[in-house]
Structures are given as C-alpha cells and as structure tokens.
Amino acid sequence: VIRCKAAVIWAVGKPFSMEEVEVAPPKAGEVRIKMVATGICRTDENLRQGLFPNSDFPIIPGHEGAGIVESIGDGVTSVKPGDKVILLCVPQCGKCIFCLNPESNFCLKAHMFETQCVLPDKTTRFTCKGQQIHHFMWVSTFAEYTVVPDCAVAKIDAAAPLDKVCLLACGFPTGYGAVINAAKVKPGSTCAVIGLGGVGLSVVMGCKVAGASRIIAIDTNSNKFPKARELGATDCINPNDLKKPIHEVLIEMTGYGPDYTFEAVGKLDTLAAAMTSCNPSTGMCIMAGDPPAGSMLTIDPMLLLTGREWKGTMLGGWKMRDSVPKLVSSYLEKKFNLDVLNTHTLPFAKLNEGMELLRAGKSIRTVLLF
C-alpha cells in the first residue's frame, strides 16, 4: 500500500479537498501508476457539480494524465514498471463488438455501459480516513498514485515529455479528431466552432490542417480570440456583441450556413444553435461538448429532413489505446503544436488555484505537476 496525496470530492458541490489516501497494489489485469502530470478539464468541474453521469461520491477526479508505471498485476503484458504511459478515460478492451468494429472507438467497458467508479472487480483501490474512495472513469489522475485496468492505459515513447503529452488524454484528441475523424472536413469548406476552450481550439487547429477556407470562432470570452486567430480562425464572434441570435448571423455570413459546425461547450442552447446554423442540405453538426447528465434537447425534426447531419463524437473518434502512441509520435515530429493549449503550469498542491483559473475563463489548459 502506498500513502500519498490526492484530491477528493466528498460529496456533490463540495470543494476539491487535498487528503492523504492509501492506494492498494494492483490486482490481476491492473496497473499502478506514479502520476507525473495531469491537465485540468471542464469535465472535472462538471463532476464536482454533479453533472457527470453515473458518478458516486466520495471520488478522486482527474482524467487527463500521464505518468510512469510503478507496478503491474498478474497477466498484464502491455506495460511494465518504468514505462511512460498516458491514462485513457475511454478504455479499449479490444474484445467487445465496438472495439472490433474499425469504424467505432467506443467500448462496452466505457462509463455509459459499465460503472467506472469502481474497478472491474467492483472494488476500489483508494481509501481515506477509513472510507472507500471511488475512481473517476477508472483513471483518477488527481492523485500522486492511481490504479487502472490495463485496457485504460497506453505505453508511449520514452522520449515524450509527460508534462506536454498529458493533454493527449482528452482535450486535444477530442477537438482535433472531431474534425479529422468524425466530420472529415473537406478542403475549401466553411467551419464554425462554438466554444474556444481546449477542445474548441483543437477543433480550430484541425480545421486549418484539413484545409478549411473559413473558420469562424465563437465564444462569449473575447480574450480567447487572439489565440484562435493564431491557430487559424479567420473570423471571431462574441454572441454578446450581436443584436441577432448567433445562428442567424452565421447563416448571413455564409449564405446558407457553414458546411460544418462544432459545438465544444456542452450546453443545450449552443448545441441547438450549432444544429440550426449549418447548411440545411449538406451541413454537418458535430457535438464535441459534454452536456449535463440527464439534460434533454428538443429540436424540430425538419432540420434533419433536408439532409443535415447531427453527429456526436467521443474523444474525437480515436481508438485510444491504438491511437495515443501514434499521436505522441506525431507531436514529437512537430506535426501539430500541442503546447499552445497549455496556458498555465502549477504544482499539484495548487489544484484549487487551477480550478479557479478555469472557472474564471483565464486558462485554456492548466497542467498540474506532481
């Protein structure tokens, strides 16, 4: 058993509390990891607010992390102690009907099918003050040590800087993959991106790489516009400055609506705007944001009758265990600039300071170092 620091949310709405926890050794098919770096994502705050589905408290959050394998349980062959790894918040078991489908990146072990607040044997490896603490999406990266199933970890190049590539666990692949894998944006097309956080800016990067002729970036925080333009946005719009709804403005700007719209906020009104604004015949709306658990959206089905497509994407469509090592290699080869998303770096002890930067809209990604 290893005793270490971890951030615990004791109940819905409670703050992130730094505690000493006990981390049990890995059982068969499990890996214990010494964390090196983790990003702060809006989903971690959504979890605290009770907006993430199928979550049990108390819980250790965090899901965008990288570290070094400390020990392995029986039967684990994909990694060994000392390996650099990225933790996967969407597992890839490699055996289920979805993993075996080349067009799918989902997995029957993912949180929408199987709880990931306990490990596959229905127990946890965390205790604190004599109480069991739940896992978050099997990874719980807001801890100095964590235990995950081997299907939720990927070995990466030993040359990779973990404080940089930890962002390949969630935000960047979600946004970039939404363009490259889900939408398959065509050269010369028009794209609109609603929300310019880590996911939205990664969408902008993907649209530029795909050869989009016009990239319209939309956010209520105009401070994000210089970075969006740096990454390829041709137009920047703050809906608070408009006298008309954003979907009407987008249609006016493009004639019949953008060819592709990307929703990277996770709110129902922005999702509805993304749907309504895209081209009524050949347009595609990609949902990359994380809407509140249990929320319901009402739309006019006529929006789809004329040919519009509405599509969701989980982590950008990447089969994570297969794709993350390749994304790391692409980063090392400078095929994309991941570093631009990292606006703040803090020690793990300053997690709450990083969360305040997120809430205030002052950060894109804050990376915590252990």
Side-chain angles (χ1 to χ4, degrees), residues 289-301:
D290 188 10
S295 56
M296 302 294 288
L297 178 64
T298 301
I299 63 167
D300 182 348

Side-chain angles (χ1 to χ4, degrees), residues 33-81:
I33 298 162
K34 178 179 174 26
M35 295 303 303
V36 173
T38 184
I40 294 177
C41 177
R42 174 69 62 178
T43 300
D44 300 310
E45 174 65 6
N46 290 346
L47 171 69
R48 189 188 71 82
Q49 296 177 14
L51 303 178
F52 194 85
N54 305 326
S55 298
D56 297 316
F57 294 80
I59 192 169
I60 296 175
H63 64 284
E64 195 175 61
I68 297 171
V69 174
E70 180 270 336
S71 58
I72 59 175
D74 291 343
V76 175
T77 58
S78 60
V79 295
K80 64 182 184 304

Side-chain angles (χ1 to χ4, degrees), residues 140-163:
S140 290
T141 63
F142 287 178
E144 292 176 324
Y145 286 84
T146 189
V147 177
V148 305
D150 65 346
C151 63
V153 66
K155 179 182 176 180
I156 60 171
D157 194 315
L162 298 182
D163 60 327

